[in-house]
Amino acid sequence: MTLAAVGTARHGEVGIAVQPPLHPGHDLDRSHARGADKAPTILDVAAEAGVSKSTVSNVVRGADDVSSATRARVLAAIDLLGYTPNAIARQFVRQRTTILGVLVGDLSNPYYAQMAQVAERAAFRHGYTTMFCNIEGAKDIALAGVEALLEHRVAGIVFLAYISRTDQLEEALRRAGVPIAFLGLSERWGDSVGPEDAQGGRLATEHLIGLGHRRIAYVRTPLVERTGDRGRHSGYRAAMRDAGLDALPPIAWAPGAPTVRYGRTSLKLSDALRGGKAPSALFVSNDIGAIAMIEACENERLTVPDDVSIVGFDDIAIAALHRISLTTVAQRLDYQAERAVSLLLERIHDPGLPPRHTSVSVELRVRQSTAPARG
Amino acid sequence: MTLAAVGTARHGEVGIAVQPPLHPGHDLDRSHARGADKAPTILDVAAEAGVSKSTVSNVVRGADDVSSATRARVLAAIDLLGYTPNAIARQFVRQRTTILGVLVGDLSNPYYAQMAQVAERAAFRHGYTTMFCNIEGAKDIALAGVEALLEHRVAGIVFLAYISRTDQLEEALRRAGVPIAFLGLSERWGDSVGPEDAQGGRLATEHLIGLGHRRIAYVRTPLVERTGDRGRHSGYRAAMRDAGLDALPPIAWAPGAPTVRYGRTSLKLSDALRGGKAPSALFVSNDIGAIAMIEACENERLTVPDDVSIVGFDDIAIAALHRISLTTVAQRLDYQAERAVSLLLERIHDPGLPPRHTSVSVELRVRQSTAPARG
DNA sequence: GATCATACCTGGAATGTTCCAGGGATCGCC
DNA sequence: GGCGATCCCTGGAACATTCCAGGTATGATC
């Protein structure tokens, strides 16, 4: 507390000049009287500055009807006492918070981590803090997490998870009536931002077709929401149809944790990628899955891209590593996260808004995991 | 609301039997009278159940002095009204929260993301929610982030960031007197958990020496806190000394963002890795740096591990990918995050505890980025 | 000098919960 | 039937802030 006063004195004489050493020695008494155990309140500051609590409140909140002399006096008192405004009390009386809940599927997955980071930053820039719940695919945890967010009366929720929403979870969210933005997904009941899945599926598939591949399979991983998966798959089918090719039956990742390690063992490649009718190219519904697929192929002594070409979706950071160099459909993760936060804040401000769904254009990034078909 | 009651009926007739259809039709009146705009409070529930607010509070908090008949009646009323306890009011009156602040350096860095995930999970398991601040190395943002956490009166802070702590930031934290645990670091003023840096440095270096390398350089990246860097570097020096080898001058990553992309261009390899006196092996102070180093080497047409062996530190998930296959010093990220949360909760419970520093043992994981020295 | 306007400040009500002291029943025991 | 114990329940105070109606100077205008 004394240090703070010194700090003030150092960086400007204004506050000090208006209000010299105020009550010399008195601060010691105060701190003894109150004890160091309790944080100073707006009333302590008011007493110290010789004004009412309302005036201190006005200063803290930046209201304009405070004379500059009074303001300086109050600021000096705040500095002296080391007062930190109590957001809990503020939230309590104003009956709303500036906290955004973030439901994130799995932070150890780079896709979500990148999204979460940008969302946090965007929220912070708008004066909101973020409360995270890592729901990791477990339905009961998700429900408990949502409950916690609702109890804390978050102003809105960013939904960033692949968990298949149960009726229970969805109903809990609807009932609470809290603004919610689905990030990385489209066509939900709240607001949403997502990539142009169908267009991406088409780009990926056309790229492979252009390289001369005829037998191209779609690989579906549990990472992708049904809606996203549907779009990507239908883009694939449309491109195949337009090229006069037959769509192959999709290869499915066994249900389970969406990690590279799991995918590597889960994908049954022996069946899918061996023999005369095996596909020479794969379009995988996301990058983590595509990387798992590369691992799985190389485990089975199939070289990528020589034996199999692979295209992913997302363009997460590690896809660009030389050693990985994954051809993929890039979606602007950062833009989407920003947009989701904007949608949320707009709805918080005006709950009457109609639901809005933003889809973000995608772009093919050709790297080394795809090569012309052989023969 | 009705659904919830049905749910109750399904898994047990007790609640329903004790309190049949209570007040049929009445719920509609209430919801109209109150209007759907305001969330029901404990008083609404009390009126509905015909008890006092204190009793409802007892039920919600799980206090034991409530008869089972009354409890059932209150629960039914809660269900009917869709009451969600107001954590803000609870925090307000109890003068403490069950929120843990997490200051995280950079969520898009897998090292932090993994730590953050486990920390969140551990906190949640103990009944705490987490408030994230992504401080990304910018000092003013870090300060504003800490301020936000303090205003929300978080019960403790997990510090998970490489940002070099300014006097200002450190003083703000000390002054606030909030319990704080440093994660991934040791030897700080609060509680801390970190890996055995010196031992790790020694293991990495001895592995390279064992492979016949003589000219081994230490590469320092801006990712690592000074303390961690010091330990790893000194472990390296000790191993070199014990083997009768000269430690080379450390190679430094230019200050800047700690990403692979940046590191790739920032590391001046032409000078460091060319010529007769160039090192044949590198020990890099963390995995992201090591991966950047692999990229940088291969950019310069140096093959890893044939031309240069590289060892990292951390064993982040992507280090294990076949395509990366980084030899590295593994530290138990999950255990550390768990431990940091435990330390924090113990201190919240008993602030008088002396500062504790846990160091976690490390273990070398040999993969494909290291090979015997040539010639 | 009365009236009005403006600038600045203040006191009180309200917010939803917890916690505590205490108050009725009911029961058992002498 | 008096007393104590136990069980269950209740009303009120307290928490730190915001917001609003109102109050008091000061200055300007007629």
Side-chain angles (χ1 to χ4, degrees), chain B residues 313-352:
Chain B
F313 202 115
D314 288 345
D315 197 28
I316 59 179
I318 57 173
L321 293 180
H322 286 171
R323 291 280 188 103
I324 307 283
S325 196
L326 180 70
T327 296
T328 191
V329 178
Q331 48 169 321
R332 292 288 306 274
L333 299 188
D334 50 353
Y335 174 75
Q336 289 185 52
E338 296 263 4
R339 179 82 184 122
V341 170
S342 303
L343 285 174
L344 213 41
L345 296 184
E346 283 164 28
R347 180 165 301 282
I348 288 166
H349 188 251
D350 175 9

Side-chain angles (χ1 to χ4, degrees), chain B residues 21-42:
Chain B
L22 73 173
H23 315 159
H26 182 224
D27 49 344
L28 257 74
D29 300 344
R30 282 203 95 271
S31 70
H32 285 153
R34 248 193 323 98
D37 44 339
K38 271 183 100 353
T41 75
I42 210 171

Side-chain angles (χ1 to χ4, degrees), chain A residues 52-55 66-67 70 92 95:
Chain A
S52 76
K53 60 181 172 35
S54 304
T55 301
V66 180
S67 74
T70 306
F92 181 47
Q95 293 286 85

Side-chain angles (χ1 to χ4, degrees), chain A residues 89-173:
Chain A
R90 192 211 320 269
Q91 291 169 344
F92 181 47
V93 61
R94 301 192 64 187
Q95 293 286 85
R96 71 195 137 94
T97 65
T98 52
I99 306 176
L100 250 37
V102 181
L103 282 171
V104 50
D106 176 9
L107 268 183
S108 69
N109 181 314
Y111 172 80
Y112 294 117
Q114 280 178 252
M115 289 280 213
Q117 182 190 31
V118 181
E120 192 280 340
R121 215 187 320 182
F124 192 77
R125 202 161 357 92
H126 288 98
Y128 282 72
T129 50
T130 44
M131 189 170 266
F132 272 63
C133 268
N134 201 326
I135 60 182
E136 312 170 56
K139 289 170 187 172
D140 50 340
I141 295 188
L143 209 53
V146 168
E147 199 111 334
L149 295 182
L150 294 178
E151 290 193 4
H152 283 92
R153 301 291 193 261
V154 294
I157 291 181
V158 177
F159 199 105
L160 171 56
Y162 54 85
I163 187 174
S164 68
R165 291 188 272 315
T166 57
D167 300 337
Q168 234 188 337
L169 179 57
E170 187 149 334
E171 200 209 311
L173 288 169

